[in-house]
Amino acid sequence: MFLSTVVALCTAIIVSWVGVVSSTPTHDSRINYTTVTGYFLQDEASTNTSTFSFINTNFGLINRTYATDATYDPNGKKTQWQRFEKQVFRFNRDSGRKVQYKLLFMGRHGEGYHNAAESYYGTPAWNCYWSLVDGNGTVRWDDARLTPQGVKQALAVNAFWASELKNQKIPPPRSYYTSPLTRCLATANLTFSGLQLPSRHPFVPTVKEFFREGISGHTCDRRGTRTYIQQAFPKYKIEPGFTEADQLWQAYHREVQIDQDIRSKAVLDDVFSTDSETQFHLKQSHMMAVVRALDDYYLAITLLITIAYQLFFFSIAFSLKFDKLTDFAGGTNFVVLAIITLAFSGHHHARQIVCSLFIMLWGARLSGFLLFRIIKTGKDDRFDDKRDKFWSFLGFWVFQMIWVWIVSLPVTILNSPNVTKFNQPAFGTGRDIAGVILFAIGFILESVSDIQKYQFRSKPENKGKVCDIGFFTWTRHPNYFGEIIIQFAIFMIAVSPSAYGYVTGGAFSAQYAAILGAFFLTLLLMFVSGLTLQERPGAKKRYESGNHWESFSRYTKRTSILIPFPPQLYEPMPTILKRTLFLEFPIYVFDPAKHADQSKVRDREAEERDSHQRQDGQGGQDGHANGQ
């Protein structure tokens, strides 16, 4: 398989390939390339290659139906290319981790002066003499330039591309590669200059040494110097390691077929193994490139920012024994990460903006409320046994780093280059709408219940009483439930590009893996820092101290622990349903006989009896005095 250039775009094929992690990314012999037939006329035995025209045949794309048409285009409004694009996405979604389907546009350069010279002198004379010299004194053909006819051919392809983009909605390439030969560099430039291409995927081709046909001793096969290419095509990227002079070309020497095959395989493996900016083709990450992979999903940069941000506030809190910044640092960290990843992405699709704003709104409200509350209370009782212990106190902040970074994953990955390089469904899908509604419900639940509880506890007459007003009549922890559905709502919106088949491959897996953020927060609230610290310990404290225990006990029996539910229906519900469907697991349930410190109960009851006796005695003395 050899190419003169892959950007003149005269043919199109689907390639499926299997890639295995390799320590030699420039030549992975375990990558297998297979052409998938049945989609382009170029693969049909009935096609006459001598008369075939890709311009007259929609790039050769066969007019046919696809398995995805029934759901993607039930009314027949989409173009052939739009439907084919969806079919390729479906292939990738269902193919498994090690198989990828990629669309390649491959083409030759326009007519060069070496082609004109061979036609003029005839092939025998060309091969025997004229091909071995630089020119004839009038025209040069070493590293041949395009003839006027070649320029005309390239411009015809440019006009065809413009028409396809406008009328057929053909998805433009995500990556461009070209041979280092001048005729190929020029053809690529003429083909794509002036087209309405996505700003995030402009025409900036990479010049690769090995993207060349069989290299003979003909002077037309000798490329120009690196300096010449940089000066003639300043916008082009040149691959690392590209030498100044052409070291592949040798006078009077022709590359044998096996060497050409090895070279072609090596350059394809290099491209398929390292390219991360491709829509249909040339994309596969090597897990050994850990830092690169992390940055492609913004995982490394967000982790480093989170660590630095939390350590900065930790140094203040520990040095000054200051509790007021702890939760503030946690909530505002979400805002910082969302702003940075959205800014870095350079692509501000409505879905990215909504998800970023949602997590910023949630983080800002949470940090603001907790800061207000700690200012009012003065200190955080959680740190009474840690505030003066460096490692114990630091441990809390390290856990907060993990919490922020993991819970931010849906938005971080949505804003990352590996996801934004794909097209996205227009905002307003069923998942988007459901996510927005869920977020609104969760945000109202969390924010309003925080206010309700704060106002209830601020009144002196409610000291020690059970907060059973507002949302707390339906669930004992409406703020926790609201926080959980907020995170699942954000994930639901963020994963839409993958759910609807627009994002494929590793990015597809990464988006779905980001559900870890919502699950992590749920597990945290249910089994680490939320219900496990509130339920049984709170009940134990009330029972041992006698602090409104009876009213609290009645409240827990009639009110769901987490999921909002009418108390009239919850109270008579069978215990088995409460312990399973409504998540009131045995670890939360307080049994006075098993969990209470009976000595404290006896001491408290003895004090109460003494108090009652003193009150009764005082009452008798008062009555006697009055009788007198």
Side-chain angles (χ1 to χ4, degrees), residues 573-592:
M573 184 181 295
T575 301
I576 185 63
L577 292 181
K578 294 181 179 180
R579 298 289 187 268
T580 54
L581 186 62
F582 282 84
L583 309 178
E584 192 164 356
F585 303 132
I587 60 172
Y588 307 133
V589 178
F590 172 72
D591 183 344

Side-chain angles (χ1 to χ4, degrees), residues 209-210 212 215 245-250 253 263:
E209 185 76 275
F210 280 7
R212 294 157 76 169
I215 302 173
D246 188 351
Q247 297 184 357
L248 297 183
W249 183 85
Q250 298 179 43
H253 175 78
R263 175 171 55 81

Side-chain angles (χ1 to χ4, degrees), residues 163-231:
S163 174
E164 291 288 284
L165 289 167
K166 179 180 179 180
N167 300 320
Q168 292 296 320
K169 304 297 188 294
I170 186 172
R174 297 284 182 125
S175 290
Y176 303 83
Y177 293 89
T178 179
S179 160
L181 299 174
T182 296
R183 54 190 176 273
C184 299
L185 300 167
T187 298
N189 188 54
L190 292 169
T191 298
F192 288 100
S193 293
L195 294 178
Q196 296 298 314
L197 299 172
S199 60
R200 61 184 181 277
H201 297 295
F203 171 64
V204 182
T206 298
V207 181
K208 297 191 76 67
E209 185 76 275
F210 280 7
F211 268 139
R212 294 157 76 169
E213 292 180 318
I215 302 173
S216 69
H218 297 186
T219 58
C220 60
D221 291 340
R222 184 182 66 222
R223 70 164 172 83
T225 64
R226 179 188 179 106
T227 301
Y228 157 75
I229 295 174
Q230 286 178 322
Q231 292 175 347

Side-chain angles (χ1 to χ4, degrees), residues 286-454:
H286 276 273
M287 291 306 294
M288 64 180 220
V290 176
V291 175
R292 176 187 174 91
L294 287 174
D295 284 340
D296 283 344
Y297 292 107
Y298 288 158
L299 301 182
I301 186 64
T302 52
L303 179 61
L304 292 175
I305 290 172
T306 300
I307 292 173
Y309 193 78
Q310 294 301 314
L311 287 179
F312 170 75
F313 281 103
F314 163 75
S315 63
I316 297 174
F318 182 75
S319 300
L320 303 179
K321 305 297 184 285
F322 194 60
D323 294 344
K324 294 180 175 60
L325 294 178
T326 308
D327 290 321
F328 176 81
T332 55
N333 204 155
F334 289 100
V335 179
V336 171
L337 294 186
I339 291 174
I340 289 176
T341 56
L342 184 63
F344 279 5
S345 73
H347 316 303
H348 300 143
H349 189 277
R351 185 170 293 101
Q352 292 176 261
I353 296 173
V354 169
C355 286
S356 299
L357 285 176
F358 277 2
I359 201 166
M360 285 191 282
L361 183 61
W362 169 72
R365 190 216 67 85
L366 181 65
S367 60
F369 172 76
L370 294 178
L371 177 64
F372 170 79
R373 191 178 67 179
I374 194 67
I375 289 174
K376 291 292 185 179
T377 59
K379 69 169 186 173
D380 194 329
D381 294 338
R382 293 175 298 171
F383 305 120
D384 287 345
D385 61 341
K386 299 180 180 69
R387 196 175 293 110
D388 297 322
K389 299 175 183 178
F390 179 86
W391 293 111
S392 297
F393 197 42
L394 177 62
F396 171 85
W397 288 83
V398 170
F399 190 82
Q400 184 157 273
M401 296 174 195
I402 298 171
W403 169 62
V404 170
W405 187 74
I406 292 179
V407 174
S408 294
L409 283 177
V411 174
T412 297
I413 293 175
L414 175 65
N415 289 337
S416 70
N418 269 4
V419 172
T420 57
K421 69 184 181 181
F422 291 96
N423 289 331
Q424 292 205 19
F427 186 80
T429 66
R431 297 179 68 90
D432 295 330
I433 295 171
V436 170
I437 294 172
L438 280 177
F439 177 86
I441 294 172
F443 191 79
I444 292 171
L445 266 175
E446 184 182 18
S447 55
V448 172
S449 62
D450 278 341
I451 295 172
Q452 288 174 339
K453 192 169 189 178
Y454 177 79

